Amino acid sequence: MKIVCLMENTALSDNMLSEHGFSLYVETRKHKMLIDAGQSGAFAENAKTLGVDLSSVDVAMLSHGHYDHSGGLMTFSKINNRAPIYMQINAGGDYYHTNDTLEKYIGIDKEILELPQVKFVDGNVRIDDEISVFAGVKGRRHFPSGNLELTRRIMTDEEGQGKQDGTGNYTFVQDDFSHEQYVVIEDDGKKILISGCAHNGILNILDEFKKIYSCDPDVVVSGFHLMKKNGYSQADEANIRAIAQELKTMNTTFYTGHCTGEEPFDIMKEIMTDNLQYVYSGRKIII
C-alpha cells in the first residue's frame, strides 16, 4: 500500500505547496483513493508534481465537514466526476468557530452537497472487503480542549428550542463531531486507520476501533487536534504527555501533522520515538 500526502500545513520541498489543510492519496491492491482535499485546489497541483493522477481515483472520502478538508472537492469533481465521494449525512451542517470575538463559518461549501457523486452515509458502513468506515464515537477522555470553540449553528423558535430548518433567531451549540468518520483499509493482512483531525480524541477513536475490529491498527494516519494558538498550559502539556504514553503502549506506527501542532508533536515524539512520524506535503508512506 502507498499513501501520499497531497496537502498539509508544511511541505517537503520548495516545489510543494502547503496550506492549513489535509489531503491524502492512498493506493491499495484494488483501489486508488482520495481522502480529504485540503482547503483549496492546491492539493491537485501537488498531485501533478508528485505524479498522482486524480482522474484515476475510484473512491473519495471526506473525514468531516470542515473547509480545510473539503475545500478542494469542487476542483476534484472537475478532474474526476465518476468517483463517489463518501461523507456522513450531517457533514453539510452549519459548523462554526466561535468565541467572545469570533463567529466564523468553517463548514463546507454547500455546492459540494449538490455534486451527483456525493454519497451520504449514516454511521458505520462497509464499502467492500478492503474499505470500511465508522463514526459515532462517544468517548470523551482526553478530549481536545480546542474543540470547545467549535460549534454548530441551529435556528431557534420563539420558545428557544433548537430547529435546524426553521426561520428566525439562531444559537450555537457545542459540535458533537458526529459528522466525523474514520476510514479503515484492510490490505495484505494489515489494518490502516485514517482520520482527518481526530476531533473526538485519538484515544476515543482507537477505543471504538478496538470494539469493532478487536485489535489495534497497524498504522494510523491522523491529525490529533492538539494545536493551540495561545500557547500551552501545564495542564495541556500533561494531557499531551498522557496521550503519548498510551499511544506508546500500542504496536502501532502513527503518522501525524496538520492540526497536531509542532510543540505537541515534539513532546509526543520524545515519548513515542520511532512510533511517531510527521507527515507533510509530498511525503510518501509505503506499508
Side-chain angles (χ1 to χ4, degrees):
M1 182 189 304
K2 178 171 69 174
I3 301 174
V4 182
C5 184
L6 300 181
M7 184 54 65
E8 200 269 335
N9 303 32
T10 58
L12 176 62
S13 59
D14 291 341
N15 68 333
M16 298 300 301
L17 302 174
S18 61
E19 65 184 11
H20 179 75
F22 197 57
S23 177
L24 299 173
Y25 169 78
V26 182
E27 196 169 300
T28 70
R29 287 178 296 173
K30 294 183 178 180
H31 292 288
K32 294 179 179 179
M33 302 176 60
L34 178 70
I35 302 179
D36 291 348
Q39 182 182 152
S40 71
F43 85 101
E45 294 302 314
N46 281 345
K48 289 179 184 177
T49 301
L50 294 164
V52 171
D53 180 9
L54 293 176
S55 68
S56 69
V57 166
D58 60 276
V59 61
M61 300 280 182
L62 177 64
S63 65
H64 62 293
H66 285 169
Y67 75 101
D68 51 331
H69 295 255
S70 63
L73 285 177
M74 294 303 292
T75 297
F76 174 67
S77 71
K78 294 174 183 177
I79 298 170
N80 183 331
N81 63 4
R82 302 175 308 281
I85 303 171
Y86 290 92
M87 63 181 72
Q88 286 293 306
I89 195 167
N90 53 353
D94 291 330
Y95 300 113
Y96 278 75
H97 183 184
T98 57
N99 56 37
D100 291 342
T101 60
L102 182 67
E103 185 178 306
K104 178 184 177 183
Y105 178 72
I106 59 171
I108 73 177
D109 180 345
K110 301 298 187 183
E111 286 188 43
I112 294 169
L113 305 177
E114 304 302 322
L115 292 173
Q117 66 202 101
V118 168
K119 306 294 182 185
F120 294 105
V121 297
D122 190 1
N124 301 2
V125 63
R126 177 166 283 280
I127 307 302
D128 59 20
D129 61 340
E130 270 196 354
I131 305 170
S132 56
V133 168
F134 70 94
V137 172
K138 303 296 185 184
R140 285 297 179 262
R141 65 192 186 103
H142 295 291
F143 194 59
S145 61
N147 284 337
L148 299 179
E149 292 187 352
L150 301 183
T151 58
R152 178 169 57 92
R153 193 177 82 165
I154 60 173
M155 306 306 295
T156 58
D157 61 20
E158 292 181 357
E159 286 73 37
Q161 299 299 311
K163 194 168 68 170
Q164 294 188 61
D165 58 349
T167 58
N169 296 326
Y170 61 82
T171 189
F172 294 98
V173 297
Q174 174 69 60
D175 192 350
D176 63 1
F177 303 105
S178 58
H179 56 101
E180 187 171 74
Q181 63 180 7
Y182 318 97
V183 180
V184 179
I185 302 169
E186 301 175 68
D187 188 37
D188 197 24
K190 297 182 183 296
K191 291 182 174 64
I192 290 81
L193 169 63
I194 299 179
S195 170
C197 284
H199 282 287
N200 278 307
I202 189 62
L203 297 183
N204 302 309
I205 294 164
L206 288 166
D207 286 345
E208 189 67 19
F209 179 97
K210 292 173 192 177
K211 288 179 185 177
I212 298 170
Y213 299 95
S214 301
C215 64
D216 290 333
D218 295 282
V219 174
V220 172
V221 185
S222 176
F224 294 155
H225 206 259
L226 298 170
M227 179 188 293
K228 297 187 75 173
K229 293 183 178 180
N230 299 319
Y232 301 87
S233 66
Q234 288 185 341
D236 290 329
E237 291 191 17
N239 187 55
I240 293 165
R241 292 182 185 280
I243 293 170
Q245 290 287 358
E246 186 160 344
L247 296 181
K248 183 183 178 181
T249 67
M250 300 172 59
N251 188 26
T252 303
T253 302
F254 293 87
Y255 294 87
T256 193
H258 180 48
C259 58
T260 297
E262 293 183 10
E263 187 172 340
F265 176 83
D266 290 341
I267 294 170
M268 298 180 79
K269 180 68 173 176
E270 183 179 347
I271 295 168
M272 297 174 66
T273 61
D274 290 344
N275 283 350
L276 182 66
Q277 304 292 327
Y278 199 89
V279 60
Y280 34 72
S281 293
R283 176 149 194 184
K284 299 179 182 179
I285 304 167
I286 305 297
I287 301 171

